[in-house]
Amino acid sequence: MSVIKDRFSLEGRVAIVSGASKGIGKAIARGLAEQGASVIISSRKQEAVDEVAAEFKKEGLEATGIACHVGDEAQLKNLVDRTIDVYGGIDILVNNAATNPVFGPLDQMTGEVFDKVMNVNVKACMLLGNLCKPSMAARGHGSVINIASVEGVKPSPMMSIYSVSKAALIMLTQSQAREWGSENIRANAICPGLIQTKFSAALWQNEQVLNHFVDQLPVGRMAQPEEMVGLALYLASDAASYSTGGVFAADGGYLVG
């Protein structure tokens, strides 16, 4: 019988992390690399991903930067093809890249905003998962980790289309889990709460808005990106071999508040 700590090892595994140049994506990428994975750092700008990969390599971690705008299908294919060229295959996909260009009421949302948010937050996750699936199946295992949000479970005012997109991402995750389980490919969603990142700055830099959110939290504070890493490491590893289709909140108790 294997020792439990060995089941958390990611030695020999290859991971793609989108939106990995900063925030939650960067924190998860570092955690995967620290557990032994070779990690593709992906984001829109090559300079940004090269900087993170160089930082990781100085720490003795294995990482390569590949720029990719997830809203561009050709760039998604290039990301997967180059990953396979560099590391030989793919075992782990973390769909972290997301957008939320407008903070406002639902009746002010336009079709253009809706399309942009859904293309990046949902469609790109489906397409990238589909592109990674053949390699995962050929290697006999795979883990897809979709970074959703508590907003996909319990919507907040002014976050309408973002909430819709994250609810759709949760359902995409469960569809992947149901359809791909027979090939030993697992899919799970992580739903962060309020995390102090550049992406959520519109929330935590406004004291009134921040207090509104924090007052609802049993733990009484927002989180740091590193506090999302533990769940990702579990779901990426063999320790989670029976976990698929799950929706895991890391929200300071927001959903029960």
Side-chain angles (χ1 to χ4, degrees):
M1 181 177 293
S2 63
V3 178
I4 188 60
K5 69 176 182 179
D6 294 336
R7 294 183 62 78
F8 282 93
S9 173
L10 299 177
E11 291 289 340
R13 303 289 172 91
V14 178
I16 294 175
V17 184
S18 69
S21 63
K22 57 185 179 295
I24 293 173
K26 181 179 178 181
I28 290 175
R30 173 178 271 113
L32 295 172
E34 288 177 349
Q35 286 298 103
S38 299
V39 180
I40 295 293
I41 309 297
S42 187
S43 191
R44 287 181 296 174
K45 297 181 180 179
Q46 189 64 47
E47 181 181 359
V49 297
D50 284 345
E51 182 178 336
V52 173
E55 177 185 331
F56 285 12
K57 287 179 178 179
K58 286 182 180 179
E59 300 171 12
L61 307 175
E62 181 55 41
T64 299
I66 301 177
C68 175
H69 189 309
V70 297
D72 185 319
E73 289 191 45
Q75 290 189 41
L76 290 173
K77 186 176 187 304
N78 178 68
L79 172 61
V80 171
D81 289 345
R82 287 191 58 195
T83 299
I84 294 171
D85 287 344
V86 173
Y87 290 128
I90 302 162
D91 305 287
I92 301 159
L93 168 62
V94 181
N95 276 314
N96 173 69
T99 189
N100 186 29
V102 177
F103 183 70
L106 181 61
D107 60 6
Q108 293 182 16
M109 295 300 105
T110 65
E112 182 181 2
V113 169
F114 181 90
D115 289 345
K116 181 175 181 178
V117 172
M118 296 300 286
N119 282 342
V120 171
N121 294 4
V122 186
K123 180 181 177 181
C125 297
M126 180 195 73
L127 293 175
L128 190 50
N130 289 349
L131 288 166
C132 290
K133 178 181 177 286
S135 180
M136 292 178 173
R139 289 159 81 88
H141 58 257
S143 174
V144 178
I145 303 169
N146 294 319
I147 307 302
S149 171
V150 292
E151 293 299 324
V153 181
K154 181 183 177 182
S156 300
M158 316 294 278
M159 299 281 283
S160 55
I161 303 305
Y162 180 77
S163 297
V164 170
S165 74
K166 291 303 185 177
L169 182 57
I170 289 170
M171 186 54 65
L172 173 66
T173 304
Q174 294 177 334
S175 295
Q176 290 169 330
R178 178 163 293 280
E179 294 191 15
W180 299 353
S182 62
E183 295 179 88
N184 200 30
I185 299 171
R186 298 177 293 104
N188 292 280
I190 294 176
C191 292
L194 180 58
I195 316 298
Q196 189 171 15
T197 64
K198 184 177 179 180
F199 184 84
S200 63
L203 299 178
W204 56 264
Q205 288 182 346
N206 183 312
E207 186 175 357
Q208 183 178 357
V209 174
L210 175 61
N211 289 338
H212 168 75
F213 275 91
V214 169
D215 287 347
Q216 300 178 64
L217 301 178
V219 300
R221 64 175 178 84
M222 64 178 163
Q224 298 303 308
E226 291 73 21
E227 293 180 272
M228 303 299 105
V229 176
L231 267 178
L233 294 183
Y234 164 70
L235 294 172
S237 75
D238 289 342
S241 58
Y242 203 59
S243 295
T244 194
V247 182
F248 297 84
D251 64 350
Y254 174 72
L255 292 178
V256 299

mmCIF file of all heavy atoms in Angstrom, residues 62-107:
data_model
loop_
_atom_site.group_PDB
_atom_site.id
_atom_site.type_symbol
_atom_site.label_atom_id
_atom_site.label_comp_id
_atom_site.label_asym_id
_atom_site.label_seq_id
_atom_site.Cartn_x
_atom_site.Cartn_y
_atom_site.Cartn_z
ATOM 1 N N GLU A 62 10.707 23.336 -12.203
ATOM 2 C CA GLU A 62 10.663 23.175 -13.655
ATOM 3 C C GLU A 62 9.445 23.893 -14.213
ATOM 4 O O GLU A 62 8.301 23.565 -13.884
ATOM 5 C CB GLU A 62 10.603 21.698 -14.034
ATOM 6 C CG GLU A 62 10.572 21.447 -15.536
ATOM 7 C CD GLU A 62 11.723 22.082 -16.291
ATOM 8 O OE1 GLU A 62 12.867 22.036 -15.788
ATOM 9 O OE2 GLU A 62 11.480 22.618 -17.384
ATOM 10 N N ALA A 63 9.690 24.883 -15.064
ATOM 11 C CA ALA A 63 8.599 25.668 -15.624
ATOM 12 C C ALA A 63 8.999 26.239 -16.978
ATOM 13 O O ALA A 63 10.173 26.534 -17.213
ATOM 14 C CB ALA A 63 8.213 26.810 -14.683
ATOM 15 N N THR A 64 8.014 26.390 -17.844
ATOM 16 C CA THR A 64 8.204 26.984 -19.165
ATOM 17 C C THR A 64 7.056 27.946 -19.428
ATOM 18 O O THR A 64 5.900 27.623 -19.138
ATOM 19 C CB THR A 64 8.218 25.904 -20.264
ATOM 20 O OG1 THR A 64 9.309 24.999 -20.033
ATOM 21 C CG2 THR A 64 8.364 26.530 -21.654
ATOM 22 N N GLY A 65 7.369 29.101 -19.967
ATOM 23 C CA GLY A 65 6.343 30.075 -20.278
ATOM 24 C C GLY A 65 5.886 29.984 -21.727
ATOM 25 O O GLY A 65 6.717 29.984 -22.636
ATOM 26 N N ILE A 66 4.591 29.883 -21.930
ATOM 27 C CA ILE A 66 4.010 29.883 -23.277
ATOM 28 C C ILE A 66 2.830 30.850 -23.278
ATOM 29 O O ILE A 66 1.825 30.616 -22.602
ATOM 30 C CB ILE A 66 3.533 28.481 -23.705
ATOM 31 C CG1 ILE A 66 4.693 27.482 -23.694
ATOM 32 C CG2 ILE A 66 2.897 28.551 -25.096
ATOM 33 C CD1 ILE A 66 4.271 26.060 -24.036
ATOM 34 N N ALA A 67 2.960 31.919 -24.030
ATOM 35 C CA ALA A 67 1.884 32.910 -24.086
ATOM 36 C C ALA A 67 0.668 32.348 -24.818
ATOM 37 O O ALA A 67 0.804 31.602 -25.786
ATOM 38 C CB ALA A 67 2.363 34.174 -24.784
ATOM 39 N N CYS A 68 -0.514 32.725 -24.337
ATOM 40 C CA CYS A 68 -1.756 32.275 -24.977
ATOM 41 C C CYS A 68 -2.904 33.172 -24.549
ATOM 42 O O CYS A 68 -3.143 33.335 -23.343
ATOM 43 C CB CYS A 68 -2.059 30.821 -24.605
ATOM 44 S SG CYS A 68 -3.640 30.212 -25.242
ATOM 45 N N HIS A 69 -3.596 33.733 -25.514
ATOM 46 C CA HIS A 69 -4.857 34.416 -25.232
ATOM 47 C C HIS A 69 -5.946 33.356 -25.356
ATOM 48 O O HIS A 69 -6.202 32.849 -26.450
ATOM 49 C CB HIS A 69 -5.091 35.547 -26.232
ATOM 50 C CG HIS A 69 -6.255 36.424 -25.876
ATOM 51 N ND1 HIS A 69 -7.512 35.919 -25.583
ATOM 52 C CD2 HIS A 69 -6.368 37.771 -25.754
ATOM 53 C CE1 HIS A 69 -8.335 36.899 -25.301
ATOM 54 N NE2 HIS A 69 -7.658 38.040 -25.403
ATOM 55 N N VAL A 70 -6.593 33.018 -24.246
ATOM 56 C CA VAL A 70 -7.517 31.884 -24.255
ATOM 57 C C VAL A 70 -8.749 32.126 -25.109
ATOM 58 O O VAL A 70 -9.478 31.183 -25.431
ATOM 59 C CB VAL A 70 -7.938 31.485 -22.816
ATOM 60 C CG1 VAL A 70 -6.729 31.030 -22.017
ATOM 61 C CG2 VAL A 70 -8.675 32.616 -22.115
ATOM 62 N N GLY A 71 -8.987 33.367 -25.491
ATOM 63 C CA GLY A 71 -10.111 33.653 -26.370
ATOM 64 C C GLY A 71 -9.836 33.367 -27.834
ATOM 65 O O GLY A 71 -10.731 33.509 -28.669
ATOM 66 N N ASP A 72 -8.621 32.921 -28.146
ATOM 67 C CA ASP A 72 -8.202 32.640 -29.520
ATOM 68 C C ASP A 72 -7.968 31.137 -29.669
ATOM 69 O O ASP A 72 -7.038 30.585 -29.087
ATOM 70 C CB ASP A 72 -6.916 33.415 -29.826
ATOM 71 C CG ASP A 72 -6.463 33.294 -31.269
ATOM 72 O OD1 ASP A 72 -6.538 32.180 -31.831
ATOM 73 O OD2 ASP A 72 -5.994 34.300 -31.827
ATOM 74 N N GLU A 73 -8.808 30.456 -30.456
ATOM 75 C CA GLU A 73 -8.715 28.997 -30.592
ATOM 76 C C GLU A 73 -7.369 28.553 -31.136
ATOM 77 O O GLU A 73 -6.831 27.517 -30.714
ATOM 78 C CB GLU A 73 -9.847 28.472 -31.478
ATOM 79 C CG GLU A 73 -11.215 28.542 -30.826
ATOM 80 C CD GLU A 73 -12.277 27.773 -31.602
ATOM 81 O OE1 GLU A 73 -11.986 26.626 -32.010
ATOM 82 O OE2 GLU A 73 -13.370 28.316 -31.805
ATOM 83 N N ALA A 74 -6.813 29.301 -32.076
ATOM 84 C CA ALA A 74 -5.524 28.928 -32.646
ATOM 85 C C ALA A 74 -4.429 28.982 -31.580
ATOM 86 O O ALA A 74 -3.533 28.122 -31.549
ATOM 87 C CB ALA A 74 -5.171 29.847 -33.818
ATOM 88 N N GLN A 75 -4.497 29.964 -30.697
ATOM 89 C CA GLN A 75 -3.503 30.065 -29.623
ATOM 90 C C GLN A 75 -3.675 28.942 -28.602
ATOM 91 O O GLN A 75 -2.695 28.448 -28.038
ATOM 92 C CB GLN A 75 -3.584 31.430 -28.951
ATOM 93 C CG GLN A 75 -3.107 32.568 -29.835
ATOM 94 C CD GLN A 75 -2.975 33.882 -29.089
ATOM 95 O OE1 GLN A 75 -2.503 33.924 -27.948
ATOM 96 N NE2 GLN A 75 -3.381 34.979 -29.724
ATOM 97 N N LEU A 76 -4.902 28.517 -28.361
ATOM 98 C CA LEU A 76 -5.130 27.388 -27.458
ATOM 99 C C LEU A 76 -4.489 26.125 -28.019
ATOM 100 O O LEU A 76 -3.826 25.368 -27.292
ATOM 101 C CB LEU A 76 -6.629 27.163 -27.258
ATOM 102 C CG LEU A 76 -7.388 28.220 -26.452
ATOM 103 C CD1 LEU A 76 -8.885 27.939 -26.501
ATOM 104 C CD2 LEU A 76 -6.900 28.258 -25.009
ATOM 105 N N LYS A 77 -4.676 25.890 -29.299
ATOM 106 C CA LYS A 77 -4.081 24.710 -29.931
ATOM 107 C C LYS A 77 -2.564 24.781 -29.885
ATOM 108 O O LYS A 77 -1.889 23.786 -29.609
ATOM 109 C CB LYS A 77 -4.555 24.565 -31.373
ATOM 110 C CG LYS A 77 -4.084 23.270 -32.043
ATOM 111 C CD LYS A 77 -4.636 23.115 -33.430
ATOM 112 C CE LYS A 77 -4.286 21.745 -34.005
ATOM 113 N NZ LYS A 77 -2.824 21.482 -34.004
ATOM 114 N N ASN A 78 -2.024 25.966 -30.146
ATOM 115 C CA ASN A 78 -0.573 26.142 -30.079
ATOM 116 C C ASN A 78 -0.050 25.853 -28.671
ATOM 117 O O ASN A 78 1.012 25.239 -28.504
ATOM 118 C CB ASN A 78 -0.205 27.564 -30.489
ATOM 119 C CG ASN A 78 1.284 27.832 -30.390
ATOM 120 O OD1 ASN A 78 2.084 27.285 -31.148
ATOM 121 N ND2 ASN A 78 1.664 28.683 -29.450
ATOM 122 N N LEU A 79 -0.791 26.302 -27.656
ATOM 123 C CA LEU A 79 -0.398 26.060 -26.268
ATOM 124 C C LEU A 79 -0.279 24.569 -25.982
ATOM 125 O O LEU A 79 0.717 24.096 -25.403
ATOM 126 C CB LEU A 79 -1.427 26.696 -25.326
ATOM 127 C CG LEU A 79 -1.304 26.384 -23.834
ATOM 128 C CD1 LEU A 79 0.027 26.865 -23.278
ATOM 129 C CD2 LEU A 79 -2.465 27.017 -23.066
ATOM 130 N N VAL A 80 -1.272 23.807 -26.401
ATOM 131 C CA VAL A 80 -1.258 22.359 -26.162
ATOM 132 C C VAL A 80 -0.170 21.680 -26.985
ATOM 133 O O VAL A 80 0.590 20.843 -26.469
ATOM 134 C CB VAL A 80 -2.645 21.760 -26.472
ATOM 135 C CG1 VAL A 80 -2.598 20.240 -26.439
ATOM 136 C CG2 VAL A 80 -3.669 22.283 -25.472
ATOM 137 N N ASP A 81 -0.044 22.035 -28.254
ATOM 138 C CA ASP A 81 0.967 21.424 -29.114
ATOM 139 C C ASP A 81 2.379 21.684 -28.589
ATOM 140 O O ASP A 81 3.218 20.772 -28.555
ATOM 141 C CB ASP A 81 0.845 21.952 -30.542
ATOM 142 C CG ASP A 81 -0.387 21.447 -31.266
ATOM 143 O OD1 ASP A 81 -1.003 20.476 -30.782
ATOM 144 O OD2 ASP A 81 -0.735 22.037 -32.306
ATOM 145 N N ARG A 82 2.637 22.906 -28.178
ATOM 146 C CA ARG A 82 3.976 23.241 -27.674
ATOM 147 C C ARG A 82 4.256 22.565 -26.334
ATOM 148 O O ARG A 82 5.395 22.166 -26.055
ATOM 149 C CB ARG A 82 4.126 24.757 -27.550
ATOM 150 C CG ARG A 82 4.271 25.459 -28.900
ATOM 151 C CD ARG A 82 4.678 26.900 -28.714
ATOM 152 N NE ARG A 82 5.944 27.026 -27.975
ATOM 153 C CZ ARG A 82 6.372 28.156 -27.435
ATOM 154 N NH1 ARG A 82 5.626 29.259 -27.515
ATOM 155 N NH2 ARG A 82 7.520 28.199 -26.788
ATOM 156 N N THR A 83 3.221 22.438 -25.504
ATOM 157 C CA THR A 83 3.401 21.724 -24.231
ATOM 158 C C THR A 83 3.825 20.289 -24.483
ATOM 159 O O THR A 83 4.758 19.774 -23.847
ATOM 160 C CB THR A 83 2.101 21.754 -23.414
ATOM 161 O OG1 THR A 83 1.748 23.105 -23.121
ATOM 162 C CG2 THR A 83 2.262 20.974 -22.108
ATOM 163 N N ILE A 84 3.171 19.641 -25.413
ATOM 164 C CA ILE A 84 3.505 18.253 -25.742
ATOM 165 C C ILE A 84 4.902 18.173 -26.358
ATOM 166 O O ILE A 84 5.678 17.250 -26.058
ATOM 167 C CB ILE A 84 2.439 17.659 -26.675
ATOM 168 C CG1 ILE A 84 1.105 17.549 -25.927
ATOM 169 C CG2 ILE A 84 2.867 16.284 -27.198
ATOM 170 C CD1 ILE A 84 -0.076 17.170 -26.794
ATOM 171 N N ASP A 85 5.265 19.154 -27.185
ATOM 172 C CA ASP A 85 6.610 19.179 -27.760
ATOM 173 C C ASP A 85 7.677 19.306 -26.678
ATOM 174 O O ASP A 85 8.731 18.653 -26.738
ATOM 175 C CB ASP A 85 6.751 20.354 -28.739
ATOM 176 C CG ASP A 85 6.000 20.134 -30.037
ATOM 177 O OD1 ASP A 85 5.625 18.970 -30.329
ATOM 178 O OD2 ASP A 85 5.770 21.125 -30.762
ATOM 179 N N VAL A 86 7.416 20.141 -25.679
ATOM 180 C CA VAL A 86 8.411 20.417 -24.634
ATOM 181 C C VAL A 86 8.488 19.296 -23.602
ATOM 182 O O VAL A 86 9.575 18.844 -23.228
ATOM 183 C CB VAL A 86 8.101 21.759 -23.931
ATOM 184 C CG1 VAL A 86 9.027 21.973 -22.731
ATOM 185 C CG2 VAL A 86 8.238 22.914 -24.911
ATOM 186 N N TYR A 87 7.318 18.808 -23.154
ATOM 187 C CA TYR A 87 7.301 17.882 -22.014
ATOM 188 C C TYR A 87 6.731 16.496 -22.346
ATOM 189 O O TYR A 87 6.701 15.624 -21.476
ATOM 190 C CB TYR A 87 6.515 18.485 -20.856
ATOM 191 C CG TYR A 87 7.209 19.655 -20.194
ATOM 192 C CD1 TYR A 87 6.562 20.877 -20.007
ATOM 193 C CD2 TYR A 87 8.519 19.543 -19.721
ATOM 194 C CE1 TYR A 87 7.181 21.950 -19.386
ATOM 195 C CE2 TYR A 87 9.160 20.604 -19.096
ATOM 196 C CZ TYR A 87 8.485 21.802 -18.931
ATOM 197 O OH TYR A 87 9.105 22.869 -18.307
ATOM 198 N N GLY A 88 6.243 16.298 -23.544
ATOM 199 C CA GLY A 88 5.827 14.963 -23.956
ATOM 200 C C GLY A 88 4.383 14.604 -23.729
ATOM 201 O O GLY A 88 3.915 13.562 -24.202
ATOM 202 N N GLY A 89 3.635 15.428 -23.028
ATOM 203 C CA GLY A 89 2.231 15.124 -22.764
ATOM 204 C C GLY A 89 1.671 16.053 -21.715
ATOM 205 O O GLY A 89 2.345 16.973 -21.247
ATOM 206 N N ILE A 90 0.428 15.797 -21.345
ATOM 207 C CA ILE A 90 -0.269 16.641 -20.368
ATOM 208 C C ILE A 90 -1.024 15.757 -19.388
ATOM 209 O O ILE A 90 -1.729 14.836 -19.791
ATOM 210 C CB ILE A 90 -1.273 17.586 -21.068
ATOM 211 C CG1 ILE A 90 -0.558 18.464 -22.100
ATOM 212 C CG2 ILE A 90 -2.016 18.455 -20.046
ATOM 213 C CD1 ILE A 90 -1.480 19.085 -23.114
ATOM 214 N N ASP A 91 -0.869 16.047 -18.098
ATOM 215 C CA ASP A 91 -1.560 15.299 -17.047
ATOM 216 C C ASP A 91 -2.565 16.153 -16.284
ATOM 217 O O ASP A 91 -3.547 15.637 -15.753
ATOM 218 C CB ASP A 91 -0.551 14.741 -16.036
ATOM 219 C CG ASP A 91 0.522 13.894 -16.690
ATOM 220 O OD1 ASP A 91 0.211 12.769 -17.098
ATOM 221 O OD2 ASP A 91 1.665 14.375 -16.813
ATOM 222 N N ILE A 92 -2.283 17.449 -16.193
ATOM 223 C CA ILE A 92 -3.066 18.343 -15.339
ATOM 224 C C ILE A 92 -3.366 19.617 -16.112
ATOM 225 O O ILE A 92 -2.470 20.199 -16.742
ATOM 226 C CB ILE A 92 -2.275 18.709 -14.055
ATOM 227 C CG1 ILE A 92 -1.924 17.453 -13.255
ATOM 228 C CG2 ILE A 92 -3.069 19.705 -13.196
ATOM 229 C CD1 ILE A 92 -0.746 17.662 -12.297
ATOM 230 N N LEU A 93 -4.608 20.045 -16.078
ATOM 231 C CA LEU A 93 -4.998 21.325 -16.663
ATOM 232 C C LEU A 93 -5.699 22.143 -15.594
ATOM 233 O O LEU A 93 -6.684 21.687 -15.000
ATOM 234 C CB LEU A 93 -5.939 21.121 -17.854
ATOM 235 C CG LEU A 93 -6.636 22.391 -18.379
ATOM 236 C CD1 LEU A 93 -5.615 23.401 -18.900
ATOM 237 C CD2 LEU A 93 -7.670 22.036 -19.449
ATOM 238 N N VAL A 94 -5.201 23.342 -15.364
ATOM 239 C CA VAL A 94 -5.861 24.276 -14.458
ATOM 240 C C VAL A 94 -6.378 25.448 -15.291
ATOM 241 O O VAL A 94 -5.606 26.274 -15.779
ATOM 242 C CB VAL A 94 -4.913 24.787 -13.361
ATOM 243 C CG1 VAL A 94 -5.662 25.753 -12.418
ATOM 244 C CG2 VAL A 94 -4.324 23.624 -12.572
ATOM 245 N N ASN A 95 -7.689 25.491 -15.490
ATOM 246 C CA ASN A 95 -8.330 26.592 -16.216
ATOM 247 C C ASN A 95 -8.579 27.727 -15.234
ATOM 248 O O ASN A 95 -9.590 27.739 -14.527
ATOM 249 C CB ASN A 95 -9.656 26.115 -16.831
ATOM 250 C CG ASN A 95 -9.475 25.439 -18.169
ATOM 251 O OD1 ASN A 95 -8.752 25.935 -19.033
ATOM 252 N ND2 ASN A 95 -10.136 24.304 -18.345
ATOM 253 N N ASN A 96 -7.647 28.668 -15.202
ATOM 254 C CA ASN A 96 -7.736 29.763 -14.240
ATOM 255 C C ASN A 96 -8.008 31.112 -14.907
ATOM 256 O O ASN A 96 -8.574 32.013 -14.281
ATOM 257 C CB ASN A 96 -6.436 29.851 -13.435
ATOM 258 C CG ASN A 96 -6.392 31.076 -12.545
ATOM 259 O OD1 ASN A 96 -7.125 31.180 -11.558
ATOM 260 N ND2 ASN A 96 -5.546 32.029 -12.900
ATOM 261 N N ALA A 97 -7.619 31.273 -16.161
ATOM 262 C CA ALA A 97 -7.805 32.564 -16.834
ATOM 263 C C ALA A 97 -9.285 32.949 -16.857
ATOM 264 O O ALA A 97 -10.149 32.114 -17.118
ATOM 265 C CB ALA A 97 -7.263 32.495 -18.255
ATOM 266 N N ALA A 98 -9.559 34.207 -16.581
ATOM 267 C CA ALA A 98 -10.949 34.674 -16.536
ATOM 268 C C ALA A 98 -10.985 36.176 -16.767
ATOM 269 O O ALA A 98 -9.959 36.861 -16.686
ATOM 270 C CB ALA A 98 -11.590 34.333 -15.195
ATOM 271 N N THR A 99 -12.172 36.673 -17.044
ATOM 272 C CA THR A 99 -12.350 38.108 -17.225
ATOM 273 C C THR A 99 -13.667 38.552 -16.601
ATOM 274 O O THR A 99 -14.606 37.759 -16.462
ATOM 275 C CB THR A 99 -12.327 38.477 -18.724
ATOM 276 O OG1 THR A 99 -12.299 39.898 -18.861
ATOM 277 C CG2 THR A 99 -13.552 37.928 -19.469
ATOM 278 N N ASN A 100 -13.710 39.806 -16.211
ATOM 279 C CA ASN A 100 -14.939 40.426 -15.716
ATOM 280 C C ASN A 100 -14.836 41.922 -15.993
ATOM 281 O O ASN A 100 -14.514 42.709 -15.114
ATOM 282 C CB ASN A 100 -15.144 40.173 -14.221
ATOM 283 C CG ASN A 100 -16.496 40.682 -13.743
ATOM 284 O OD1 ASN A 100 -17.453 40.716 -14.499
ATOM 285 N ND2 ASN A 100 -16.568 41.086 -12.487
ATOM 286 N N PRO A 101 -15.075 42.319 -17.261
ATOM 287 C CA PRO A 101 -14.783 43.693 -17.671
ATOM 288 C C PRO A 101 -15.733 44.750 -17.134
ATOM 289 O O PRO A 101 -15.391 45.938 -17.158
ATOM 290 C CB PRO A 101 -14.872 43.618 -19.198
ATOM 291 C CG PRO A 101 -15.838 42.498 -19.459
ATOM 292 C CD PRO A 101 -15.583 41.500 -18.366
ATOM 293 N N VAL A 102 -16.912 44.338 -16.666
ATOM 294 C CA VAL A 102 -17.909 45.321 -16.222
ATOM 295 C C VAL A 102 -18.451 44.944 -14.850
ATOM 296 O O VAL A 102 -18.844 43.804 -14.612
ATOM 297 C CB VAL A 102 -19.082 45.417 -17.229
ATOM 298 C CG1 VAL A 102 -20.129 46.394 -16.717
ATOM 299 C CG2 VAL A 102 -18.577 45.856 -18.593
ATOM 300 N N PHE A 103 -18.458 45.917 -13.957
ATOM 301 C CA PHE A 103 -19.019 45.755 -12.614
ATOM 302 C C PHE A 103 -20.254 46.637 -12.559
ATOM 303 O O PHE A 103 -20.149 47.863 -12.477
ATOM 304 C CB PHE A 103 -17.981 46.170 -11.567
ATOM 305 C CG PHE A 103 -18.402 45.985 -10.138
ATOM 306 C CD1 PHE A 103 -18.535 44.716 -9.602
ATOM 307 C CD2 PHE A 103 -18.641 47.082 -9.324
ATOM 308 C CE1 PHE A 103 -18.909 44.550 -8.273
ATOM 309 C CE2 PHE A 103 -19.014 46.921 -8.003
ATOM 310 C CZ PHE A 103 -19.142 45.654 -7.478
ATOM 311 N N GLY A 104 -21.444 46.012 -12.674
ATOM 312 C CA GLY A 104 -22.654 46.822 -12.719
ATOM 313 C C GLY A 104 -23.900 45.966 -12.754
ATOM 314 O O GLY A 104 -23.830 44.738 -12.777
ATOM 315 N N PRO A 105 -25.076 46.604 -12.784
ATOM 316 C CA PRO A 105 -26.346 45.874 -12.721
ATOM 317 C C PRO A 105 -26.636 45.115 -14.011
ATOM 318 O O PRO A 105 -26.190 45.482 -15.103
ATOM 319 C CB PRO A 105 -27.380 46.980 -12.495
ATOM 320 C CG PRO A 105 -26.739 48.212 -13.034
ATOM 321 C CD PRO A 105 -25.278 48.062 -12.772
ATOM 322 N N LEU A 106 -27.418 44.065 -13.880
ATOM 323 C CA LEU A 106 -27.733 43.177 -14.997
ATOM 324 C C LEU A 106 -28.390 43.923 -16.154
ATOM 325 O O LEU A 106 -28.081 43.662 -17.323
ATOM 326 C CB LEU A 106 -28.658 42.048 -14.507
ATOM 327 C CG LEU A 106 -29.083 40.999 -15.525
ATOM 328 C CD1 LEU A 106 -27.879 40.254 -16.077
ATOM 329 C CD2 LEU A 106 -30.068 40.022 -14.881
ATOM 330 N N ASP A 107 -29.291 44.858 -15.850
ATOM 331 C CA ASP A 107 -30.027 45.519 -16.926
ATOM 332 C C ASP A 107 -29.181 46.516 -17.715
ATOM 333 O O ASP A 107 -29.662 47.129 -18.668
ATOM 334 C CB ASP A 107 -31.306 46.191 -16.405
ATOM 335 C CG ASP A 107 -31.047 47.253 -15.364
ATOM 336 O OD1 ASP A 107 -29.871 47.576 -15.107
ATOM 337 O OD2 ASP A 107 -32.026 47.765 -14.793
#
